[in-house]
Amino acid sequence: MKTTIGNFLFLRLRQMGIGHVFGVPGDFNLQLLEQMREGDGPEFIGTCNELNAAYAADGYARMNGVGALLTTYGVGDLSALCGIAGACAEHLPVVCLSGTPPLYAMESRLRLHHSLADGNFDNVRNCLREFTAHTARLTPANAGEEIDRALLACLREKKPVFIQVPSNISYLEIDAPEEPLSPALPASDAERLESAARHIARLLARATQPVLLIDREVDRSGLAQDLTRLAHKRRIPYVALRTGKAMLNEDDPLYAGMFNGRDSVPRVRDLLQRTDCLMAFAPGFSEGSPVPTPKSPPGSARIFIQRHSLTVEGEIYEGVNARDLMERLPDLVERVNGSAEAWAAQARECADPATPAGSATEAATGTAGAVEAASAGTAPEPKALTQARLWSGLAGFFCPGDVIYAETGTALSGLADVRLPEGAKFIAQPIWGAIGHSLPALLGAMTAANDRRHILFIGDGSFQLTAQELSTILRRKLRPIIFLLNNDGYTIERWIFGKDAPYNDIAPWQYTRLPEVFAPGAQVFTATAGTGDELEEALREAGERACACFIELRLDRLDAPEILKIHGPRAAENNYGPRGPQSAHGASAGRP
Amino acid sequence: MKTTIGNFLFLRLRQMGIGHVFGVPGDFNLQLLEQMREGDGPEFIGTCNELNAAYAADGYARMNGVGALLTTYGVGDLSALCGIAGACAEHLPVVCLSGTPPLYAMESRLRLHHSLADGNFDNVRNCLREFTAHTARLTPANAGEEIDRALLACLREKKPVFIQVPSNISYLEIDAPEEPLSPALPASDAERLESAARHIARLLARATQPVLLIDREVDRSGLAQDLTRLAHKRRIPYVALRTGKAMLNEDDPLYAGMFNGRDSVPRVRDLLQRTDCLMAFAPGFSEGSPVPTPKSPPGSARIFIQRHSLTVEGEIYEGVNARDLMERLPDLVERVNGSAEAWAAQARECADPATPAGSATEAATGTAGAVEAASAGTAPEPKALTQARLWSGLAGFFCPGDVIYAETGTALSGLADVRLPEGAKFIAQPIWGAIGHSLPALLGAMTAANDRRHILFIGDGSFQLTAQELSTILRRKLRPIIFLLNNDGYTIERWIFGKDAPYNDIAPWQYTRLPEVFAPGAQVFTATAGTGDELEEALREAGERACACFIELRLDRLDAPEILKIHGPRAAENNYGPRGPQSAHGASAGRP
């Protein structure tokens, strides 16, 4: 069909289900903004800067399946890059559109602003190439094919792609394909698929203690429903990696808890050590979630399922899609009734998964933070709010279907082991770990799913990186519940090194006054909670209010979830080695 | 000498005159923060995010000769990249230190957080390579040499460099060179230098109307003093490119004004067309400052001086440093007395350089903005503050030695042609043009030169990108004068395309309340001026106050300096071509 390059691009975005594009206007993308507005294109949502647009597109992709942002050449692209790399690390399909200088100007290597003014127009694309599945520079000759190539790579590889649209060609007419995109992966090889499914079914049939290990691929490839069916039919308990949190229902007796390496709760540790059939879904092991090393009985089986291939007892099956496999597999396994109850009974004997290994008592009584803080020289008020109290008090606050955000830092550590209700969505950035991600991600995710309740937990240090996006959230009349954990700086870093070091301090903002400055007249409930009672009151209010809520939680600067107090010093040891600062200061009081 | 890698690095920074390093702590750089604190290292200044740290280091480099920032691997590096690329585009020496994962982890390709968790640790460095003069990954084997290699490249090439410091090696002892760095360029070839200088002296001797064309190299290579000596001795008028503004004294009869291509004021246009000897200093021509094409008399000479080479009448001299040349040249030219006065008299007959070509009357009477705004349908109050009034009213406000910042947008356009007093420093980012640069740049520049008065002009759209850094400015008890031009969105984009388009709108913040939120208790004078009288009052107050001043100027959303009203539509034509949106909407009222 005949259409313009810009209109074809936006038609494709609409066909992919992209209803909103985040970004910042610039002189090389105004033509695309105009084309979005003219036709039936997606709605443009201006963010305060491009990094925040990338995070918003990431959040949008998590709820909508795919997201998009629009930048202007150079300055916009590179500002967004950290967010795009984050989407790459977390395997999220995000389309990055960039308006570039006119094609003739780039081909003639003109000295232009927004470049190094040296005629080099490859450097920006080279950067984006490192963190995307495909980069395209459109020309009238390639646009019809390159647009589809890029978008298919985005959808199939679940990674960002980068499309440069020279400013002077988006109004040019091209011959564009009529048929809609077909993002499905090529079908699996039929014989291999059937063999692999039967191979797994045989292993599951003979296993006495199979376990599923869940990671983000379950979400990215849409396996949750089939996996749930399999787990329930065969009564297989499941454990989640931190990167796979809440991708299967955590409010289910089959859910055993989070795998935290050697700091996993006993129930999880035991399961993974005793299993005679471990079935892992595209586990993205990192140092935060190391490869489980089961002390399994001889002959125990390990199954690793990737998006397009799998390994069963060392045998590699290429050309088998996880999705096809999971559609077939539940039909091949026999229903089991008794063992789930038996397993659940046995599980009840273990410690509660909200409590990390070795600290069950402390966390349960909520004294861990106070003890630690006191030992560091600052004695909080008797009923001061603690991290332990905070995280243990949330279970009753969350509702099925909530979208819950954990910013990197104490929030992610604290929420990781809180069991979420059925249908809850958990949004975090556990691999890339860029602080500041969650607030703009909320803008994006809430734009995609405004019918759900969105609850964000973010530390003060993280908040300051991207704070201005609160203004866009309120300008769009979104109504999230935001808990700002004010603990006077970078507490996660303090637990790694420099507990009292000034470099871990930040400026003490009056956070609860920001909504009125960013969005005068907007209806926002604000509160500050510094005690357990005040937290309870704030939770009650937030649960009842129909408006946006912004609640500052005052926490001691050294209070942290127990797991962080273990992981922090361990990170120092791994990072800095035997002659690092922790060796020099390890023994002295007041400095770690 | 024996020292640790980290201590050697910071010793070098101190030797280079770097007293402050901007950045954000992260688990891969805490060891460097600790080493900075332990020894006699530079002071660390925490910024709200890494992009702002890069802009601050850029500003610091402008005042101090060289600046530095510290990031953490991946997330920090890529967040800072747009600012580093900006320093590259503007030829500023900035040292980017990055704490990376431990060396063994990178060499073993471990799956770590802050990476794609795929074992690839080259991608981040590949990005930085595109926008730096040198990238180094330190090891115990190369640190002694690589640190110096990187720092010398930074100082000599006036570009950023990137130094990755694996977290586990900065406490290791190495053999480091004793002697201090010698950043001077290798001496010029003596014969070539003398030949070139004499060649130029001959041309200047026979020229009747020589002209100097000034660009940023005058600042970066420290040529101002020698150039001033040459200009005064030989009575040569000088013209500045936008990128070279105020690098030679603008309060001097020899200063003719700004070269704005075909929109230059008549005096500048005439000079460049009539000159029989154009001597240009490393002109970084871009589309904003195209190459002058003199209609010169036959036999007229052109001299182009780069940092390490020059071209005189087509003859290329390699191996001659601009600095050596400029030390020698003034001695070779004969003093001229009469002609400067004659030139000055002739110059007085031309239009004032504050007025762009063809609009002398409008701008002088301050009605241009009002007329334009009225034609767009919004009639401002009779005495409403206009851009014309603003820029014409500043000459008396500026003092010798002021540091004056113009954010990209109406501020840069408006200030470009305002003559600054002697010794004034002008800070802008005319090539890279990333909005949001100036506020964090002020943090850096003012840290380097707190004894001078710093005055920033920034639009509301730009301000929102990096607004949080105001908190660091106030936390550091700096006392700038900040004028926030609130014109309700991206006015520079409106003049290119989309005058009333919603994508050019932004959230309406209560700007003057930000200081009390970001820095409770800080002494800040805030005011809002919406009329000419209120501007006068605000200027008077700001001139008298000893504290930080934050003044919001309310301007009509379509009011702009005249030059922007010319350049905006022209940019649309260049960018979008004959079938772009401006052709479709060109004729309709209310939309450009």
Side-chain angles (χ1 to χ4, degrees), chain A residues 27 34 37 49 113-114 167 287 431-432 464-465 468 503 510 513 516-517 575-576 579 591, chain B residues 27 34 37 49 113-114 167 171 287 431-432 464-465 468 503 510 513 516-517 575-576 591:
Chain A
D27 54 339
E34 202 55 31
R37 197 161 74 122
N49 63 39
H113 75 288
H114 290 350
S167 61
E287 85 277 38
I431 297 292
W432 190 239
Q464 291 195 358
L465 275 88
Q468 57 268 75
Y503 52 72
Q510 291 216 6
R513 294 182 60 194
E516 67 194 42
V517 171
N575 287 348
Y576 314 134
R579 288 193 59 185
R591 288 178 77 181
Chain B
D27 55 337
E34 202 53 33
R37 197 161 73 121
N49 62 40
H113 76 288
H114 290 349
S167 61
Y171 275 83
E287 85 277 39
I431 296 291
W432 191 239
Q464 291 195 359
L465 275 88
Q468 57 268 76
Y503 52 72
Q510 290 215 7
R513 294 182 62 194
E516 69 194 40
V517 171
N575 287 348
Y576 313 135
R591 288 176 78 179

Side-chain angles (χ1 to χ4, degrees), chain B residues 297-322:
Chain B
S300 68
R302 298 180 78 175
I303 304 162
F304 283 88
I305 299 175
Q306 308 285 334
R307 194 176 303 153
H308 314 304
S309 66
L310 67 157
T311 310
V312 186
E313 287 186 306
E315 184 174 347
I316 293 163
Y317 293 83
E318 305 273 11
V320 176
N321 294 331

Side-chain angles (χ1 to χ4, degrees), chain A residues 234-485:
Chain A
R234 174 60 183 78
R235 301 297 192 192
I236 315 177
Y238 48 91
V239 167
L241 287 173
R242 288 165 78 96
T243 33
K245 180 172 173 63
M247 287 174 186
L248 291 195
N249 182 14
E250 293 191 344
D251 185 19
D252 187 307
L254 290 173
Y255 175 58
M258 192 67 61
F259 176 64
N260 279 324
R262 52 178 156 161
D263 303 313
S264 303
V265 295
R267 182 195 303 182
V268 168
R269 237 178 1 203
D270 291 355
L271 264 178
L272 290 173
Q273 286 186 349
R274 290 193 320 244
T275 182
D276 55 355
C277 183
L278 176 69
M279 184 167 170
F281 283 81
F285 299 116
S286 74
E287 85 277 38
S289 300
V291 186
T293 46
K295 292 180 194 150
S296 315
S300 68
R302 298 180 77 175
I303 304 161
F304 283 87
I305 299 174
Q306 309 285 335
R307 194 177 304 153
H308 314 305
S309 66
L310 68 158
T311 309
V312 187
E313 288 185 305
E315 183 173 348
I316 294 163
Y317 294 84
E318 305 273 13
V320 176
N321 294 330
R323 186 137 184 192
D324 294 340
L325 180 74
M326 287 313 302
E327 269 176 36
R328 176 69 179 130
L329 187 59
D331 295 336
L332 297 177
V333 303
E334 295 216 7
R335 184 171 299 281
V336 174
N337 291 314
S339 64
E341 280 64 37
W343 175 81
Q346 166 205 324
R348 274 193 294 276
E349 292 165 19
C350 298
D352 185 85
T355 310
S359 59
T361 323
E362 287 178 4
T365 58
T367 60
V371 167
E372 179 51 45
S375 74
T378 55
E381 291 300 305
K383 295 190 160 196
L385 181 60
T386 62
Q387 294 258 353
R389 169 73 191 268
L390 171 61
W391 307 120
S392 66
L394 287 173
F397 179 68
F398 293 140
C399 299
D402 279 352
V403 183
I404 297 157
Y405 302 73
E407 174 68 42
T408 297
T410 61
L412 181 54
S413 294
L415 277 170
D417 290 315
V418 174
R419 260 179 204 248
L420 303 186
E422 186 168 3
K425 173 90 178 180
F426 185 71
I427 292 186
Q429 208 192 35
I431 297 292
W432 190 239
I435 56 173
H437 163 264
S438 63
L439 184 75
L442 182 146
L443 167 65
M446 201 160 184
T447 299
N450 198 12
D451 54 331
R452 295 171 71 168
R453 194 168 73 146
H454 294 248
I455 306 168
L456 165 65
F457 296 86
I458 182 170
D460 52 348
S462 298
F463 181 78
Q464 291 195 358
L465 275 88
T466 55
Q468 57 268 75
E469 227 47 53
L470 179 61
S471 82
T472 312
I473 290 168
L474 298 176
R475 183 180 176 216
R476 300 280 306 171
K477 301 196 191 314
L478 301 176
R479 298 176 300 175
I481 300 173
I482 297 174
F483 292 98
L484 183 121
L485 281 60

Side-chain angles (χ1 to χ4, degrees), chain B residues 316-329:
Chain B
I316 293 163
Y317 293 83
E318 305 273 11
V320 176
N321 294 331
R323 186 136 183 193
D324 295 339
L325 181 74
M326 287 314 301
E327 269 176 37
R328 176 69 180 129
L329 186 59

